[in-house]
Amino acid sequence: MTTLIDYRLEGQVALIGLARPPVNALGQPLRAALAEAFERALADAQVCAVVIHGQGRAFSAGADISEFGSPAAFATPDLASLLCRLAESPKPLVAAIAGTALGGGLETALACGYRISAANATLGLPETRIGLLPGAGGTQRLPRLIGAQAALEMIISGEPVSASKALALGLVDQVVAEGEDLLAAATAFAAARVAESAPAQPAWRHADPAQGLPSQFFDEYAATHARRWKGQLAPVLALQAVQAACSGSLQAGLAKEHALFAQAESSAQSTALRHQFFAQREALKIPGVSKDIALRPVQRVAVIGAGTMGGGIAMNFANAGIPVTLLELKGEALDRGLAQIRKQYDSSVKRGKLTPQQLDARMALITGTLEYADIAQADLVIEAVFERLSIKQNVFRTLDEVCKAGAILATNTSTLDVDLIAAVTRRPQDVIGLHFFSPANIMRLLEVVRGRETSAQVLATTLDLARRIDKIAVVSGVCFGFIGNRMLEPYAREAHRLVLEGATPAQVDGVLTDLGLAMGVLSMYDLAGIDVGYLVRESRREAIAHDASYFKLADELYSHGHYGQKTGRGFYRYEGRERIEDYEVVACAEVLAHELGIARRAISNEEIHDRCLFMLINEGIQLLDDGIAQRSGDIDLVWINGYGFPAWLGGPLHYAERLGLGRVLAGIEHYREQLGGYGQMWFEPAPLLQRLVAAGHARIQRL
Ligand code: T1G
């Protein structure tokens, strides 16, 4: 028997333990070992029942995602066929689920006649999150076990359910209380089935999974969710698979599932989403920093500044059960900040996202103060005051005086130089940037900005803390705008300039939202505030003074007090939440273009796509070459989780690889020639892009 399976007998029951750390991913070697152990149990006359369980922290996290896109994914024994073999077992099979049973892991449990779960286990079919659908019988067996509607919800949402919910659904037969021995309970359950001559496979509870559902159920479900699925393939295919479970035999349904799964697995969307899955885990690996490095304990946090950002940041810690002290200079600002936090929690309660008890518990974790002395014992302090260097430096001088030795001092700056902030303290090794994205309690992205002197321990501690508060952390070096906002500059420059050259804001934004972005960049400026953009530009006017023509329209809107949604007018007019094209903006662009000597013309959607996206991509490649970003996947994560870039395109750099790096370079060189002086000034291909194309590389990497 291989080391991948722990096989032993308990009386007449064979125990098959999946033992492939860390999560019993069902790669080909584990599949083969499971098949061998199963056949051994079947052949042993002494064995009357079988329990399958997982060693370590998971029953099984499903198929080995790294196999997809290669023949290994379907290498014999493929999971679907193996599970059909298990499902035909003449001896009762019991799945003993501890930790997590996800994807093919849950499908393995579904192929067993019975399922016993630990009370704190979670069970789910998250395949749509990586552009797939359950491909080993889940879309056929789950509906027959819990009904088509409940099965569809689990499969389309990808959301795991708790053991108690699974029991209520009929997904598991028994839940074993915490502290009780799951394996012993499962073994006893199996022996009891034998004693009562129970069938190896009980009859399906929902032999007709759609019974009781309206005839148009699936069409109505698709119509209801079409907008949210915008452009995504996996949910559509998953729905077709579940529909097949309601209109034919299990065998026919399995064949249909297999065909749909093959379509999903070979799709560019699934490739992109699987890239994102691994990129999220790679981002936490820091070259030169051991994953076993000792971390500093972070049990108490303080936030300086109770404004929108400070309040949102504080909520992250309360949500994770970490006490947080919110410090302000003035009482009314503090009261306003605390009231805003409570208001946000209240709305979560109204939406059913939070219970009143949870609201009270979270508010109890947030303490307001006007005294720096009250944060002297904090393990981590996050500064979130006005975005001006001198103001932040004063705060850090105070923190340096007040805070205990070893406290981590973080700045939430979005553009300022973290090294200049660290330099005013006597402990630059304890200073780091933690750039939260607004709204800070919602957006999952956290740019962790590593200063020149930030210690490895401080960096590793903040990355671990990011995980605790459910943020997707990406490490950035120090430069203007770090990774996200630095790439936003050229991307937004092209959008603004294109409006001067003849496109309308709606046309520019439409190209970007048609690609899948959550918002077009001009709508995004209207949301963030044209005044905010203006003030950031003002803070670095000398850096862009040589040609700020592209922002003249935004400056003009600012001068008229048109700040965007907050004033009801910006690049668009706003009536309530409705965004309406404003032809006065176009007229203003015409006047400015004339003054700037910019010839106006009809602009194609292709030109908008190429200029905005290629400049975004080019800056990302430059960031990689500069060492500000560690790897291209990090850059993709920033734009997916901070700027609404479609995850099913994998992020801007993964998208560039799909377009072809040669096409991106050719496009940049084309506009460099086509756009005269403006093109010469701004369409400078990143040297790394040129080197990658010259060397024939299809993947973006440092050379
Ligand atoms: N395949 C390959 N590697 C996996 C994996 C998987 N399914 N799950 C985790 N890993 C690796 C991960 O990359 C990391 O590696 C390490 O394990 C620890 O993971 C046929 C088609 C289970 C909740 O989508 O959600 O089944 O970085 O850091 O935070 O129908 O892992 O250490 O080198 O995430 O404790 C469906 C994916 C697959 C579940 C644990 N299953 N995994 O979280 O640890 S498709 C999933 C997770 C499928 C079938 C279909 C989480 C977790 P490294 P981790 P964690």
Side-chain angles (χ1 to χ4, degrees):
M1 187 55 60
T2 71
T3 56
L4 293 173
I5 289 283
D6 171 49
Y7 184 96
R8 59 191 169 91
L9 297 183
E10 280 290 336
Q12 295 181 305
V13 179
L15 304 185
I16 298 178
L18 306 177
R20 185 192 180 211
V23 294
N24 296 323
L26 289 157
Q28 191 282 337
L30 182 55
R31 296 197 302 268
L34 173 56
E36 180 193 353
F38 173 69
E39 297 304 337
R40 177 179 171 186
L42 285 200
D44 185 339
Q46 186 191 342
V47 171
C48 300
V50 180
V51 170
I52 297 177
H53 62 100
Q55 298 213 342
R57 57 177 149 156
F59 173 77
S60 167
D64 183 337
I65 301 172
S66 64
E67 285 186 343
F68 292 120
S70 76
F74 302 100
T76 304
D78 70 278
L79 189 58
S81 307
L82 173 57
L83 298 191
C84 285
R85 181 84 183 104
L86 264 60
E88 292 156 3
S89 167
K91 302 178 180 178
L93 288 188
V94 179
I97 299 169
T100 50
L102 297 174
L106 180 56
E107 289 176 300
T108 300
L110 288 170
C112 299
Y114 305 91
R115 286 153 295 279
I116 309 289
S117 173
N120 59 0
T122 51
L123 303 85
L125 294 172
E127 286 89 340
T128 53
R129 294 180 173 176
I130 51 175
L132 299 172
L133 58 137
T139 65
Q140 306 305 308
R141 295 191 176 99
L142 188 63
R144 287 176 168 82
L145 192 62
I146 67 174
Q149 186 163 12
L152 192 61
E153 275 306 323
M154 274 189 75
I155 291 167
I156 296 288
S157 69
E159 281 299 323
V161 298
S162 64
S164 56
K165 172 77 172 175
L167 186 65
L169 287 170
L171 177 52
V172 300
D173 302 284
Q174 186 179 319
V175 172
V176 174
E178 289 201 45
E180 282 191 36
D181 183 332
L182 171 70
L183 208 42
T187 305
F189 184 96
R193 298 292 80 69
V194 173
E196 64 190 39
S197 304
Q201 276 289 2
W204 292 116
R205 289 193 190 87
H206 296 265
D208 171 10
Q211 188 172 20
L213 293 178
S215 60
Q216 295 305 313
F217 170 74
F218 288 99
D219 294 342
E220 286 162 6
Y221 193 97
T224 307
H225 294 83
R227 184 178 165 79
R228 189 152 51 88
W229 295 348
K230 179 177 81 169
Q232 299 177 68
L233 181 64
V236 173
L237 300 182
L239 182 133
Q240 290 175 20
V242 174
Q243 198 166 3
C246 302
S247 56
S249 69
L250 178 63
Q251 289 315 317
L254 289 171
K256 178 72 173 171
E257 176 192 83
H258 178 73
L260 293 166
F261 181 80
Q263 186 182 346
E265 192 266 350
S266 60
S267 70
Q269 287 190 7
S270 183
T271 305
L273 289 163
R274 299 194 308 262
H275 156 72
Q276 184 199 208
F277 173 86
F278 289 113
Q280 236 168 282
R281 288 150 180 83
E282 279 305 299
L284 298 174
K285 295 171 186 170
I286 314 300
V289 178
S290 159
K291 66 176 183 176
D292 302 322
I293 188 172
L295 304 179
R296 287 190 195 171
V298 178
Q299 268 101 28
R300 299 182 55 175
V301 174
V303 176
I304 314 292
T308 305
M309 285 306 287
I313 291 169
M315 290 173 74
N316 286 302
F317 295 97
N319 296 347
I322 301 170
V324 53
T325 301
L326 192 54
L327 181 141
E328 254 296 350
L329 294 180
K330 296 193 180 72
E332 68 272 16
L334 179 60
D335 295 343
R336 197 166 48 245
L338 291 169
Q340 180 58 25
I341 290 171
R342 175 160 203 116
K343 186 179 167 196
Q344 293 207 56
Y345 280 141
D346 278 332
S347 76
S348 296
V349 169
K350 289 192 184 84
R351 290 201 313 274
K353 300 278 187 196
L354 215 55
T355 66
Q357 295 74 16
Q358 286 171 320
L359 182 154
D360 294 338
R362 291 183 187 185
M363 287 306 296
L365 286 167
I366 300 174
T367 309
T369 183
L370 303 175
E371 301 299 330
Y372 268 94
D374 290 344
I375 64 167
Q377 293 311 309
D379 303 307
L380 164 70
V381 182
I382 303 172
E383 163 274 315
V385 300
F386 191 70
E387 190 72 0
R388 183 165 298 149
L389 183 59
S390 57
I391 296 175
K392 292 184 185 293
Q393 286 176 322
N394 283 340
V395 168
F396 273 76
R397 287 189 185 95
T398 306
L399 294 178
D400 197 24
E401 291 300 324
V402 169
C403 294
K404 70 178 182 182
I408 295 173
L409 309 180
T411 171
N412 173 56
T413 182
S414 57
T415 58
L416 299 173
D417 187 328
V418 173
D419 292 330
L420 293 180
I421 293 171
V424 303
T425 72
R426 288 158 296 180
R427 45 176 129 179
Q429 72 283 358
D430 294 340
V431 176
I432 196 163
L434 291 182
H435 177 213
F436 289 82
F437 282 69
S438 183
N441 57 309
I442 305 292
M443 295 294 281
R444 292 197 65 204
L445 180 64
L446 178 64
E447 279 183 322
V448 178
V449 185
R450 183 178 195 175
R452 192 174 35 251
E453 299 190 49
T454 302
S455 74
Q457 187 187 51
V458 165
L459 177 62
T461 301
T462 50
L463 290 177
D464 180 66
L465 188 69
R467 187 182 52 76
R468 288 169 61 190
I469 61 174
D470 194 30
K471 293 296 180 187
I472 292 172
V474 175
V475 177
S476 172
V478 176
C479 72
F480 172 75
F482 312 133
I483 295 173
N485 285 341
R486 171 155 154 193
M487 290 170 69
L488 177 62
E489 280 279 308
Y491 174 67
R493 179 191 68 228
E494 289 312 301
H496 286 77
R497 171 78 187 201
L498 282 158
V499 173
L500 290 174
E501 293 184 18
T504 65
Q507 184 191 3
V508 172
D509 284 350
V511 168
L512 301 174
T513 52
D514 286 351
L515 183 65
L517 276 110
M519 280 185 101
V521 63
L522 300 171
S523 308
M524 191 179 75
Y525 272 94
D526 270 2
L527 175 65
I530 289 174
D531 51 327
V532 173
Y534 179 84
L535 293 175
V536 168
R537 282 196 301 283
E538 275 306 286
S539 73
R540 52 194 300 273
R541 201 51 85 175
E542 73 295 335
I544 55 177
H546 51 293
D547 176 356
S549 64
Y550 51 89
F551 275 124
K552 282 281 188 251
L553 178 57
D555 290 349
E556 191 71 13
L557 292 172
Y558 177 79
S559 68
H560 287 90
H562 296 171
Y563 298 166
Q565 286 192 23
K566 64 177 83 170
T567 60
R569 286 187 77 176
F571 285 103
Y572 300 86
R573 283 177 186 279
Y574 293 88
E575 288 174 14
R577 294 181 65 80
E578 192 185 355
R579 184 185 302 132
I580 301 161
E581 288 197 71
D582 184 346
Y583 290 100
E584 286 185 35
V585 172
V586 176
C588 180
E590 287 167 351
V591 171
L592 287 172
H594 177 69
E595 290 170 3
L596 293 164
I598 296 172
R600 285 178 64 85
R601 57 190 168 86
I603 308 269
S604 71
N605 288 349
E606 183 190 10
E607 179 171 349
I608 293 170
H609 169 278
D610 289 0
R611 286 176 57 177
C612 291
L613 272 295
F614 291 0
M615 283 289 96
L616 176 71
I617 291 161
N618 195 56
E619 196 68 21
I621 292 174
Q622 189 57 49
L623 276 168
L624 190 61
D625 205 13
D626 293 347
I628 297 294
Q630 292 185 90
R631 53 183 81 82
S632 64
D634 288 9
I635 294 168
D636 286 333
L637 288 176
V638 166
W639 270 77
I640 290 168
N641 297 288
Y643 299 81
F645 199 94
W648 63 85
L649 292 182
L653 298 196
H654 182 82
Y655 181 56
E657 292 168 353
R658 188 177 142 200
L659 292 174
L661 301 185
R663 174 180 163 194
V664 174
L665 178 57
I668 294 170
E669 289 169 339
H670 167 73
Y671 288 112
R672 183 176 176 75
E673 297 313 314
Q674 162 110 19
L675 297 173
Y678 178 84
Q680 292 297 319
M681 176 175 288
W682 295 111
F683 281 76
E684 184 73 46
L688 175 57
L689 173 60
Q690 293 172 308
R691 296 199 298 272
L692 285 165
V693 172
H697 284 283
R699 303 297 300 275
I700 295 171
Q701 57 198 295
R702 277 208 200 97
L703 286 183

